[in-house]
Amino acid sequence: MSNIDIGIATQDRLDIATGLKRLLADTYTLYLQTHNFHWNVTGPQFRELHLMFEEHYTELAVAVDDIAERIRTLGVIAPGTYKAFAALSSIKEVEDVPAAADMVQILNKSHEQVVKTCREALKLAQEANDESTAALVSDRMRIHEKTAWMLRAMQ
């Protein structure tokens, strides 16, 4: 790790990056889950869900980049393999193709899990006075809370 002097202690940067790695893994896993459901949804709500899932995975694609870049800004290597994401993520992969209503419920639970992961990372950032990470994570939390609410409203 090169000499980084941004006003955050080395151990704090490492701890924050660890929290962000979990957030990155959860976000990437949710991205894959959402994209999978976009491709494979069927039924009377096909068009509505297909388009909504596309909106969600498009937003998540930008989010994974933002989170990974923040990890790099803190001087830590960002995970970037399926194996690493699987080890770090608290979201379980769905191996089959569930019914459309089940997809909505699964995505709701996954977004709620990302909110929980955000809360853990936010606490680390706040304790270290890392406003940049706190702002990023807070924004992510708001987006996932709203998405979960919208998904719950469909059930």
Side-chain angles (χ1 to χ4, degrees):
M1 189 180 311
S2 62
N3 185 18
I4 298 172
D5 185 14
I6 57 173
I8 303 171
T10 300
Q11 190 58 55
D12 288 338
R13 280 189 298 102
L14 296 174
D15 292 344
I16 292 164
T18 297
L20 288 174
K21 286 179 182 182
R22 287 198 228 24
L23 179 57
L24 178 62
D26 279 359
T27 305
Y28 200 88
T29 303
L30 177 56
Y31 165 83
L32 289 173
Q33 191 176 75
T34 306
H35 215 152
N36 176 30
F37 292 172
H38 164 79
W39 289 327
N40 292 301
V41 68
T42 60
Q45 289 185 296
F46 167 78
R47 181 167 171 72
E48 176 185 1
L49 292 176
H50 183 75
L51 294 173
M52 182 180 69
F53 295 163
E54 183 175 10
E55 290 172 9
H56 292 177
Y57 77 71
T58 300
E59 192 279 328
L60 290 164
V62 174
V64 295
D65 196 52
D66 290 343
I67 297 164
E69 288 178 355
R70 183 62 192 161
I71 294 167
R72 294 298 297 136
T73 300
L74 293 170
V76 176
I77 299 297
T81 65
Y82 293 121
K83 182 178 180 179
F85 291 145
L88 290 165
S89 182
S90 55
I91 296 174
K92 301 300 177 212
E93 288 187 290
V94 177
E95 296 189 21
D96 56 350
V97 179
D102 293 333
M103 289 177 178
V104 171
Q105 185 176 25
I106 290 165
L107 289 173
N108 172 51
K109 293 298 180 195
S110 294
H111 279 278
E112 289 176 343
Q113 179 55 54
V114 176
V115 171
K116 294 174 192 174
T117 303
C118 284
R119 290 189 188 287
E120 294 170 12
L122 181 61
K123 184 177 179 183
L124 293 169
Q126 289 172 330
E127 289 172 353
N129 294 315
D130 178 358
E131 293 301 321
S132 296
T133 298
L136 171 67
V137 173
S138 180
D139 287 346
R140 295 301 321 147
M141 188 168 25
R142 180 183 46 78
I143 290 165
H144 291 288
E145 287 174 341
K146 184 175 181 178
T147 304
W149 161 61
M150 291 183 172
L151 290 165
R152 280 191 307 273
M154 297 182 76
Q155 296 178 38

